[in-house]
Amino acid sequence: MPADPLHRAGKSQRSTTSQPTNGSRASAIEVRRSARRRRTVSAYREGDRTVVLIPARMSEAEEQRWVTVMLDKLAAQESRRTLGDTELAERARRLSEQYFGGRARPASVRWVTNQNTRWGSCTPSDGSIRLSHRLQGMPEYVVDYVLCHELAHLLVPGHGPRFWRLLEAYPKTERARGYLEGVVAAERLPHVPGARNA
């Protein structure tokens, strides 16, 4: 799904923004219609937003159907790029070197599927870090933030001032926290009945 050169030239006819459907990793969906686009539909991530490019002549029902299809395709592509446990542990090692002088040394780092109310956890006594599978497919800076958060706990248990000062070393802390807060807020939004079948 290559980026649309017409979009790059700014020739979209109109844009609409909506909340994501279930399963979307982005905080918003923007649909851009183009009179020059005849048949093709494409989508890409733009920061925390998913952009779906469609022909201007499409009906609202076709738009909804194609948004769902393209979100599913993007999610499938992203899940194929998901880090395995080995890559996740290597990423944690690099982050520890970069932001904590290599002092945070986890014994294990792995994805888990039993954390639905937390993004990550660690056990300082045995040096294990676990990240929720819900982070898979989210932007790298978000995964890195959660890893840094758990690495910092290996050095400072609890969430006192010393912990937050340590975590300030990661430059995208506030941005990542905002992203995760947005995901949590979006999950709490009511879903409009029948919106996906329109």
Side-chain angles (χ1 to χ4, degrees):
M1 290 171 287
D4 180 3
L6 296 177
H7 164 257
R8 298 291 181 221
K11 301 216 184 253
S12 63
Q13 198 175 59
R14 82 175 169 88
S15 297
T16 57
T17 302
S18 63
Q19 293 302 319
T21 56
N22 285 342
S24 171
R25 299 290 190 187
S27 60
I29 300 163
E30 181 176 339
V31 177
R32 295 181 186 166
R33 292 175 173 258
S34 170
R36 294 179 68 184
R37 184 177 281 271
R38 295 289 176 222
R39 290 181 298 214
T40 61
V41 176
S42 61
Y44 60 92
R45 302 287 194 209
E46 188 175 78
D48 297 344
R49 173 182 309 274
T50 299
V51 178
V52 180
L53 307 164
I54 65 172
R57 63 173 175 70
M58 272 193 184
S59 69
E60 291 297 318
E62 289 174 308
E63 174 183 317
Q64 286 299 316
R65 184 177 71 80
W66 276 107
V67 165
T68 301
V69 166
M70 299 313 286
L71 287 175
D72 289 346
K73 283 187 176 185
L74 282 174
Q77 286 177 348
E78 290 167 348
S79 69
R80 286 192 295 272
R81 290 194 301 256
T82 299
L83 299 171
D85 289 350
T86 303
E87 295 90 357
L88 196 62
E90 176 57 26
R91 190 177 202 97
R93 187 196 63 74
R94 284 197 315 268
L95 290 167
S96 177
E97 287 292 331
Q98 187 172 0
Y99 299 111
F100 306 114
R103 294 180 297 131
R105 295 188 185 113
S108 68
V109 182
R110 62 190 173 92
W111 295 108
V112 294
T113 57
N114 63 351
Q115 289 191 81
N116 295 315
T117 58
R118 296 193 228 185
W119 298 113
S121 63
C122 87
T123 306
S125 61
D126 67 11
S128 63
I129 290 177
R130 296 159 305 279
L131 264 57
S132 172
H133 71 287
R134 296 180 306 140
L135 290 164
Q136 293 174 330
M138 288 191 188
E140 287 182 2
Y141 74 91
V142 175
V143 175
D144 286 351
Y145 162 72
V146 177
L147 278 171
C148 284
H149 186 106
E150 301 310 329
L151 287 166
H153 276 310
L154 292 178
L155 302 172
V156 180
H159 291 102
R162 190 168 154 241
F163 171 83
W164 293 110
R165 277 194 304 275
L166 190 62
L167 195 53
E168 284 173 1
Y170 181 64
K172 295 182 180 175
T173 291
E174 288 306 312
R175 183 177 175 201
R177 289 181 72 187
Y179 183 95
L180 293 171
E181 287 169 5
V183 169
V184 170
E187 289 172 353
R188 291 183 182 147
L189 289 173
H191 297 285
V192 179
R196 292 184 67 156
N197 301 324

